[in-house]
Amino acid sequence: MMAKQFPPISTSDIPLLDADRYEARLSRKPRVNPADRTRYRTIWISDIHLGTRGCNADMLIDFLDHVDSDALYLVGDIIDGWRLKKKFYWPDGHNDIIWRILKRAKRDTRIVYIPGNHDEMFRQFTGLNFGGVEIRRHAIHETADGRRLLVMHGDEFDTVMLAHRWLAFVGDAAYTTLMRLNWLVNKFRQRMGLPYWSLSKVAKHKVKNAVEFIGRFEELVAKAAGNRGVDGVVCGHIHTAEMREIKGIEYYNDGDWVEGCTALVECDDGTMEILHWADEIKAREARRGQPMNLKTVKGNLEQAA
């Protein structure tokens, strides 16, 4: 049986996906030296958590202003519906991110949005195409060298999420507190002219149970991909960027834009790479002879406004 085909829907039909709505409220318009832009075949990003203070909007705006691609996969938790239900928080920088993504769709970049657990309200639109943004529950991506990769958010394999949903919300509250501390620490570091540093990332890798959970999660996801007959899997969800082989299956996690500020990219020859954006900024500023810190990034963005 052929899959049902849904007609494209204009983004103006859904205000949240209307680029013009955001363009009028832009605080930071892109103005980047073309020599500083890098093009990739494919980019995967996830766990942005728009609508929370933990979202590193300045870093992500800088990333989007310095990379291009033929395809962009948004691998879930782009908007944090859980937090927005409790308290509305939506600064101008979050508008800027939505606008940049929607503008790519208008420039014929293929945009595939796979909602996660925090933006699960968009899963009801699975199969639809909103102004160039394809909404899928999962996707199969074929690399330039012929490998087939299953793309999914990954919350399907979080046993806490599946068995005890209320515990997930309790855990989310604790995690939000940690993100708040992370934000405060980096505000202080910014004033001191120091580079970005993830308190939460360090804490997670120091806790034995967290390390064991991450390892188990990666094994479960790789096993499921193997059962689907694909060569590998790309996911997000656990805020831990990684690329490794697990029992013959290539496992990729694109990380997040709360703690690590990372993205997974595919080059024209099919080579895969994880970009740690704080390191990329540091290298770029070193070429210019300018020290890198969060204040520098924010200042550069404001100058481009």
Side-chain angles (χ1 to χ4, degrees):
M1 182 182 295
M2 292 184 63
K4 185 177 181 180
Q5 296 295 315
F6 295 94
I9 297 177
S10 170
T11 54
S12 61
D13 294 332
I14 297 183
L16 188 62
L17 295 176
D18 184 2
D20 294 335
R21 162 191 173 132
Y22 297 102
E23 187 163 13
R25 301 170 61 186
L26 278 181
S27 62
R28 299 162 192 170
K29 295 182 180 178
R31 191 178 302 165
V32 177
N33 184 341
D36 286 334
R37 295 188 71 93
T38 304
R39 184 167 194 86
Y40 297 98
R41 185 173 186 265
T42 314
I43 295 173
W44 291 265
I45 56 176
S46 73
D47 298 273
I48 299 171
H49 291 274
L50 293 172
T52 71
R53 292 185 182 275
C55 170
N56 266 299
D58 290 336
M59 295 275 274
L60 181 54
I61 290 170
D62 186 80
F63 170 78
L64 293 172
D65 285 350
H66 285 86
V67 297
D68 290 305
S69 62
D70 298 328
L72 171 65
Y73 286 87
L74 305 172
V75 196
D77 286 1
I78 305 306
I79 297 171
D80 197 321
W82 290 11
R83 298 305 305 169
L84 287 172
K85 284 181 181 178
K86 296 176 182 178
K87 184 177 180 181
F88 186 80
Y89 175 80
W90 196 272
D92 289 340
H94 294 198
N95 289 329
D96 296 347
I97 290 168
I98 295 289
W99 179 81
R100 280 163 169 77
I101 291 172
L102 295 178
K103 287 295 286 186
R104 287 169 185 255
K106 284 191 172 183
R107 296 198 305 263
D108 295 326
T109 298
R110 186 191 178 201
I111 309 287
V112 181
Y113 176 27
I114 300 171
N117 50 307
H118 283 257
D119 49 8
E120 60 189 351
M121 61 278 195
F122 290 105
R123 285 177 171 170
Q124 64 184 305
F125 302 115
T126 294
L128 299 182
N129 183 319
F130 293 100
V133 179
E134 305 170 28
I135 301 182
R136 302 287 182 266
R137 192 66 179 84
H138 51 73
I140 299 293
H141 173 78
E142 185 169 335
T143 63
D145 53 5
R147 289 170 294 139
R148 297 174 69 247
L149 305 178
L150 174 65
V151 185
M152 60 171 61
H153 180 62
D155 61 292
E156 302 93 332
F157 302 95
D158 187 339
T159 54
V160 173
M161 285 296 302
L162 292 175
H164 302 288
R165 185 174 176 81
W166 68 273
L167 280 178
F169 282 98
V170 172
D172 178 62
Y175 184 75
T176 299
T177 300
L178 184 58
M179 290 300 96
R180 177 65 175 171
L181 288 173
N182 190 74
W183 181 78
L184 290 171
V185 166
N186 279 289
K187 275 293 181 183
F188 175 76
R189 290 177 65 84
Q190 177 181 329
R191 291 181 180 179
M192 297 296 292
L194 297 172
Y196 175 78
W197 177 76
S198 178
L199 167 67
S200 53
K201 184 177 180 181
V202 172
K204 184 165 62 178
H205 284 86
K206 292 290 185 181
V207 179
K208 181 180 178 181
N209 288 344
V211 174
E212 291 177 349
F213 170 80
I214 291 169
R216 180 59 178 155
F217 173 87
E218 293 173 346
E219 291 171 0
L220 285 172
V221 172
K223 181 179 180 181
N227 292 339
R228 295 282 293 269
V230 295
D231 301 297
V233 60
V234 178
C235 63
H237 186 51
I238 59 173
H239 295 205
T240 305
E242 182 63 275
M243 51 188 297
R244 67 187 180 103
E245 185 174 307
I246 303 175
K247 296 182 179 179
I249 298 296
E250 296 171 9
Y251 170 86
Y252 301 99
N253 194 304
D254 59 26
D256 67 284
W257 289 88
V258 174
E259 304 171 57
C261 299
T262 55
L264 177 69
V265 298
E266 176 196 3
C267 300
D268 288 336
D269 61 357
T271 302
M272 306 286 277
E273 180 183 356
I274 293 175
L275 299 180
H276 296 264
W277 202 245
D279 294 340
E280 296 293 323
I281 293 173
K282 186 176 181 179
R284 185 204 316 151
E285 300 303 338
R287 291 193 296 269
R288 295 175 178 172
Q290 182 179 11
M292 191 287 284
N293 54 59
L294 290 175
K295 202 170 186 178
T296 301
V297 174
K298 190 169 184 178
N300 290 342
L301 289 170
E302 288 173 348
Q303 288 176 16

